[in-house]
Amino acid sequence: MADRKRVLLIVAGGIAAYKSLELIRFLLARGFAVRCILTTSGAEFVTPLSLAALSGDKVYRELFSLTDESEMGHIELSRSVDLVVVAPATADILAKMRAGLADDLATAALLATDKPVMVAPAMNVRMWEHAATQDNLRVLAERGVHVIGPDEGPMACGEFGMGRMTEPGAIAEAIDGFFGAYRRLVGKRALVTSGPTFEAIDPVRYLANHSSGKQGHALARALAAAGAETILVSGPTQLANPAGVMVHNIRSAEEMLAACQSSLPVDIVVCAAAVADWRIKNPAAQKIKKHGPNGKGGGAPVLELAENPDILATLSKSNAQRAHLVIGFAAETESVVQHAIEKRRAKGCDWIVANDVSPGTGTFGGDANTVHVIDDAGVENWPRLGKEEVARRLTLRIADHFKKAEA
Ligand code: C5P
C-alpha cells in the first residue's frame, strides 16, 4: 500500500451493497488500495468472501474480535487510511453517524477516524425524503462529511425517486477528484459569493431571486477541502454553513460588496452569487401601508430602482489587491456560450462558468448543473454533473492553474 492512496470502504446493509463490489473494482483500476468493513446487515447482501477476493485484503467485521483487535483495532483501522467511504450509506448508518453511536465496528471506526469521510446514501425515496434523514445529512455535511448523490431513478422496491446510490463509476470519479485537489491549495486564500441578495422595499418586504446557493456553497466546501483558507459571503439561503469555512451572512448587494472588500487580499475569487441588478432607491423606514397613509388609499406604490454595484466587475478591476484568479458565473437562458464570452470580456474576470438556467433544466435550486468553462484558451463543455462534482472539478482546475502559474 506504500504510496497508493488508501480507502476504507464501509459497506452497510442496503440492496445497493452489490454495487460496492463494482466500486472496489473501479477504485483498484484508479490505483487506490481498498480495505473493507462489512456491517452485519451488509453481510445479508454481499459476502465477506466477495469483498475480500476483490479488494485483495482481509474484510473487517467484528468490533470485539480478538484476532481483528490484535491485528488492527478500530482506531488504527480508521486512521491507517486516507479516506473513509460509506457506500451504500443507509438511513440507519447516517442516523448513527449523526448521533455518534459506536455499537459496531463500522460506527466505531467512523467515530474514531481523523480522516475525511464520504458517504453515498442509498435508500427508499420515502426514507430519503423523511425529515429525520434530511436533518441528519445536513448536520453531517455541516461537520464536513462529503455527500455523493443519491441519484433519482427506479428503485429496487418498485418506487421511483431520489435515493438510488450514485453509480460506482461516478463515486470512484468523485473520490479521485477529492484526492486530485486534496491539500493542493494550502497557503491560498479564496473568496466565494453565494446565494441570492435581498433588496429591502421596507422593513418587511424585499426583492429577491430563486438562487439556492447550492453551487456557491459547494465551491466553498471544495476549496476548503483542498486546503484553501476560504471565506464565503452568502446571501440568505436554507443551507448549512460549510465546515471549515469563514462565513459572512449578508442580505443586500451593497452588504455583499462590503463583506467581499473587507476580505481582501485573496488569491482566488469565485462569484457564484445571483446578485440583484437593482435595489430600491429609498427603502421605506416603516412598513408601506396597503391603503396609503392614514388608510386613505394611495394606490400601489411606485418603486424607484437604483443600479447595484457589480461585485464581480469590481473585484476584477486591476489594482494592487486584485486576486490572481477571478472567476464569474453566467446564468443564461439562450446563446449560453456566446453571451458568457461577452460577459467575461465586459466584467474583466479570468474565467467564466456558463450555465443554462432555462425553465426545464432544473439548474436553479436543483442538484445538477451543465456548465461550460470559458477562459483565454477557449471553451470547455462539461457533461451534466452534480453541483458538488462541478465544484470539485473546478477546484481541481484552479489547483492546476496555480501549479502552472507557479512552475
Ligand atoms: O451580469 P450577470 O448578473 O449575468 O453576471 C453574473 C456574474 O456576475 C456572476 O458571477 C455574479 O455573481 C456576478 N455579479 C456580481 N454582482 C452583480 C451582478 C452579478 O458579482 N451586481
Side-chain angles (χ1 to χ4, degrees):
M1 283 207 186
D3 51 357
R4 295 163 76 191
K5 290 279 182 218
R6 292 152 307 171
V7 174
L8 176 63
L9 176 64
I10 295 179
V11 180
I15 184 72
Y18 75 92
K19 290 191 193 171
S20 58
L21 300 175
E22 219 183 336
L23 176 59
I24 295 172
R25 288 202 302 109
F26 278 119
L27 289 173
L28 294 176
R30 284 174 183 262
F32 293 101
V34 185
R35 172 163 282 162
C36 299
I37 292 180
L38 180 63
T39 67
T40 308
S41 48
E44 302 284 334
F45 295 91
V46 288
T47 67
L49 196 59
S50 328
L51 291 179
L54 279 170
S55 67
D57 196 0
K58 176 179 161 47
V59 173
Y60 294 80
R61 300 192 55 194
E62 311 275 332
L63 182 54
F64 299 112
S65 150
L66 281 179
T67 23
D68 282 3
E69 284 286 321
S70 58
E71 284 171 21
M72 185 170 293
H74 60 279
I75 307 279
E76 200 191 335
L77 188 56
S78 69
R79 295 183 180 181
S80 62
V81 293
D82 300 289
L83 175 71
V84 182
V85 177
V86 188
T90 56
D92 178 68
I93 203 164
L94 292 171
K96 286 181 171 153
M97 286 170 73
R98 187 249 171 101
L101 295 182
D103 60 355
D104 64 1
L105 180 61
T107 49
L110 283 161
L111 198 61
T113 191
D114 58 353
K115 295 299 185 307
V117 176
M118 204 177 257
V119 295
M123 66 199 75
N124 163 274
V125 58
R126 289 175 204 282
M127 294 170 83
W128 169 252
E129 285 172 355
H130 197 286
T133 305
Q134 290 301 313
D135 202 41
N136 292 338
L137 250 288
R138 184 186 53 74
V139 171
L140 291 173
E142 239 171 71
R143 291 184 197 152
V145 170
H146 302 266
V147 184
I148 309 295
D151 291 347
E152 190 178 58
M155 326 205 95
C157 55
E159 289 191 80
F160 183 93
M162 287 294 282
R164 279 169 63 96
M165 186 170 95
T166 299
E167 287 307 316
I171 299 177
E173 204 169 297
I175 293 172
D176 223 358
F178 174 81
F179 282 117
Y182 190 54
R183 302 203 59 75
R184 283 183 58 192
L185 292 175
V186 169
K188 299 278 182 280
R189 258 168 79 84
L191 170 65
V192 179
T193 71
S194 183
T197 63
F198 282 11
E199 308 296 334
I201 296 172
D202 65 18
V204 296
R205 304 181 180 95
Y206 55 82
L207 292 179
N209 60 63
H210 289 298
S211 168
S212 64
K214 284 182 182 170
Q215 187 63 79
H217 278 56
L219 274 157
R221 235 187 331 270
L223 288 163
E229 183 187 339
T230 306
I231 305 151
L232 174 67
V233 179
S234 176
T237 72
Q238 302 292 318
L239 305 174
N241 287 343
V245 170
M246 153 113 66
V247 182
H248 293 291
N249 290 305
I250 52 79
R251 291 175 72 82
S252 68
E254 287 180 312
E255 287 168 9
M256 183 172 271
L257 177 61
C260 286
Q261 284 177 322
S262 73
S263 306
L264 300 178
V266 296
D267 303 285
I268 304 151
V269 168
V270 186
C271 286
V275 185
D277 290 320
W278 308 95
R279 67 175 179 279
I280 309 297
K281 197 164 184 184
N282 294 307
Q286 305 298 332
K287 184 180 172 193
I288 301 171
K289 293 286 175 224
K290 187 172 175 184
H291 297 298
N294 310 320
K296 284 184 187 151
V302 174
L303 302 174
E304 196 182 340
L305 301 179
E307 200 166 326
N308 261 334
D310 191 312
I311 298 159
L312 175 59
T314 308
L315 299 178
S316 295
K317 283 206 184 100
S318 77
N319 59 39
Q321 284 209 314
R322 190 197 193 273
H324 174 74
L325 184 61
V326 181
I327 305 171
F329 271 72
E332 304 288 347
T333 55
E334 50 165 3
S335 313
V336 176
V337 169
Q338 196 46 43
H339 284 159
I341 289 172
E342 285 155 22
K343 200 161 281 181
R344 174 172 170 264
R345 201 174 308 124
K347 306 237 186 193
C349 57
D350 302 301
W351 302 356
I352 203 142
V353 183
N355 52 354
D356 189 343
V357 292
S358 315
T361 58
T363 301
F364 248 142
D367 290 312
N369 207 351
T370 310
V371 306
H372 313 269
V373 182
I374 299 160
D375 63 9
D376 262 343
V379 181
E380 258 177 41
N381 301 308
W382 290 11
R384 187 168 170 78
L385 298 166
K387 287 180 178 174
E388 294 282 344
E389 185 56 20
V390 169
R392 263 191 289 273
R393 289 191 187 195
L394 209 53
T395 300
L396 201 57
R397 201 178 194 276
I398 292 170
D400 285 345
H401 171 83
F402 277 97
K403 190 174 169 193
K404 261 188 233 144
E406 289 163 5

